[in-house]
Amino acid sequence: DNGLIITADSNLYTYNNTGRRMLDVQHGMINPTISVAGSRFLAYDRGGTKVMLFSRSNQLRQVSTDFAIYDGDMARNGNFALASRSDRHLSQVIAYNGDGNIICRYLFSRRPAVCVSLADSKDAMTVGLLDAQNGDFLSVISRYQFPIENPTASIELPGELILHLNYQDGSNIRAITDQRVILFNSDMKETASFSYGEQQLIRFQYGEDGKLALYLRDATGERKGRAVVLNDHLEALCSVPQNADPNGMALENGILY
């Protein structure tokens, strides 16, 4: 929403669209990771236990977890969720409301939860779980509706490594794996897919209007590849050859940087 967040080694900064600094806070995290939702954002220490919730200009609250955090996400309705280790289970996902109160706690004994994504306008989330089968990866994506304990829908992806989930507005869910990007509906039925072919995914970046930018490296061993921009139906809008791996990507106002 026209603001800028910068995470430095010791501090978090926010700026408005005129360049005025709105926030300057020491975070005390080793690996600060940010999830933005409108004018609020969540900062958590990936691999640590510290969690902080901010507006543009203030720290709203701090939450401490008992176990190392794997992933986190924040929704525009104020909900946020954290996937972490657990004491008696392989992992857990805890969903909170905007006041920092626990909505639900989901425990996983068979598979660790490695990624999580919340719906912006409803009390729902998706969780990516990782397993192995016949000497290869087995990823499982499950959709949960708060406060129902069991998943309302699940899908298995044999031979694929789940990397990231993105619960889009409405009821579409995007999953990024090591082999392709997949679009699911709320029943976890696949509706579209974009394969990397023989190339390897190096970077990805979300943009506005459901767009997604990918950088795919050739399998030749040279650091050459292509930047691809997909729309919200996973149709390729452009494919631009590159002669070197990018250090970062941004997608804004129809422009890929």
Side-chain angles (χ1 to χ4, degrees), residues 62-136:
Q62 181 170 320
V63 178
S64 293
T65 66
D66 296 325
F67 308 100
I69 300 168
Y70 295 136
D71 194 29
D73 190 37
M74 186 175 184
R76 284 182 176 266
N77 62 8
N79 294 342
F80 62 97
L82 300 167
S84 71
R85 293 184 180 180
S86 177
D87 52 354
R88 299 180 182 179
H89 300 79
L90 274 179
S91 65
Q92 64 182 359
V93 175
I94 303 177
Y96 303 81
N97 62 20
D99 295 323
N101 299 317
I102 294 177
I103 303 174
C104 308
R105 186 193 304 265
Y106 297 93
L107 301 171
F108 302 96
S109 298
R110 293 180 54 203
R111 302 176 174 114
V114 295
C115 52
V116 59
S117 181
L118 291 167
D120 277 325
S121 58
K122 52 180 83 168
D123 287 339
M125 73 174 179
T126 55
V127 176
L129 306 163
L130 189 59
D131 203 345
Q133 185 180 68
N134 300 324
D136 206 346

Side-chain angles (χ1 to χ4, degrees), residues 171-206:
S171 53
N172 289 327
I173 299 156
R174 276 184 295 189
I176 299 178
T177 78
D178 63 331
Q179 298 180 24
R180 56 183 177 143
V181 183
I182 316 164
L183 186 66
F184 298 99
N185 61 20
S186 59
D187 296 323
M188 298 309 301
K189 303 296 184 183
E190 182 177 326
T191 59
S193 175
F194 178 85
S195 173
Y196 314 144
E198 298 299 319
Q199 294 181 309
Q200 179 186 10
L201 177 67
I202 302 299
R203 287 186 176 273
F204 62 89
Q205 181 67 48
Y206 295 103

Side-chain angles (χ1 to χ4, degrees), residues 2 16 19 36 98 116 118 141 164 170 185 198 200 217 233 235:
N2 295 315
N16 65 14
V36 182
V116 59
L118 291 167
I141 304 173
H164 199 263
N185 61 20
E198 298 299 319
Q200 179 186 10
R217 182 194 288 170
H233 299 294
E235 299 166 333

